[in-house]
Amino acid sequence: MATPYVTDESGKYIAATQRPDGTWRKPRRVKDGYVPQEEVPVYENKYVKFFKSKPELPPGMSPEDTNAAEKQSDAAGLSKTAKRNMKRKEKRKQQSQSQPEDVKALSEELDDMSINTDEKTASDLTAASAEKAKKMKNLRKKLRQVEELQQKVDCGELKTPSKEQLDKLGRGQALREELRLLEADL
């Protein structure tokens, strides 16, 4: 949008304009040669100017030649692997269209088969054994703490154990039994 200028005996002015909210801007005095910011051309370095001035087509090639080249088949500009992949896709498409009865028969057989969910897979077994190993490690740690607490009580280092400490000492036999059962399962 061109900026409206008003010229009178005192100089050059940008005319008063109305804002979107309805209020008016005051006219602004400008010097001769002033160019508004929105009309200043964007700076382009010499490389950008060079590439903009460069023709899009190679020398000697006409736009008609490019239209003819685009009309050629898609496979002409593809690499060997891309062509090979296209052939594979076409082959799969033909096979899927020619043998739908075999696929239907196979899917019916799979539907008739029952899956045994009682058997544990190898990953389930390894997860269970890892869980048992973790539980055993935890039990050994608790037993070690119980034994250390018992030694402190026996040597007199801990004269009056608290209620929690007495409960821990009482659980020692149950922890040993649980650890023995886990070791027997492995």
Side-chain angles (χ1 to χ4, degrees), residues 2 8 29 33-34 50 56 58 61 69 71 73 78 82 84 86 92 107 111 126 130 139 148 160 164 173:
D8 63 1
R29 187 170 176 203
Y34 170 77
F50 171 75
E56 293 180 19
M61 187 172 192
K71 291 179 183 176
S73 70
L78 297 177
R84 193 178 315 135
M86 282 182 60
R92 282 190 207 124
S107 64
D111 289 340
T126 56
L139 287 172
E148 288 173 2
T160 55
E164 291 84 19
Q173 188 59 35

Side-chain angles (χ1 to χ4, degrees), residues 114-126:
S114 65
I115 299 173
N116 191 355
T117 56
D118 295 338
E119 295 179 15
K120 291 186 177 181
T121 62
S123 62
D124 291 342
L125 293 174
T126 56

Side-chain angles (χ1 to χ4, degrees), residues 18-121:
Q18 191 173 12
R19 295 186 184 102
D21 64 355
T23 60
W24 286 87
R25 292 182 188 92
K26 293 181 181 177
R28 290 190 304 160
R29 187 170 176 203
V30 293
K31 296 179 181 179
D32 289 332
Y34 170 77
V35 179
Q37 184 65 38
E38 57 270 359
E39 294 177 14
V40 174
V42 178
Y43 172 75
E44 293 179 341
N45 62 29
K46 61 182 176 181
Y47 297 107
V48 172
K49 288 179 184 176
F50 171 75
F51 283 109
K52 281 189 176 180
S53 67
K54 192 174 164 185
E56 293 180 19
L57 301 174
M61 187 172 192
S62 65
E64 294 85 33
D65 293 340
T66 59
N67 292 337
E70 288 175 2
K71 291 179 183 176
Q72 288 179 352
S73 70
D74 297 338
L78 297 177
S79 65
K80 287 182 182 180
T81 47
K83 289 177 186 176
R84 193 178 315 135
N85 288 338
M86 282 182 60
K87 286 180 184 177
R88 286 180 186 163
K89 284 181 185 178
E90 289 173 9
K91 196 174 189 181
R92 282 190 207 124
K93 208 181 268 186
Q94 288 173 356
Q95 285 178 351
S96 66
Q97 291 173 353
S98 66
Q99 299 175 351
E101 311 88 34
D102 295 341
V103 174
K104 287 180 184 176
L106 185 61
S107 64
E108 287 175 8
E109 287 179 29
L110 287 173
D111 289 340
D112 293 340
M113 295 175 115
S114 65
I115 299 173
N116 191 355
T117 56
D118 295 338
E119 295 179 15
K120 291 186 177 181
T121 62

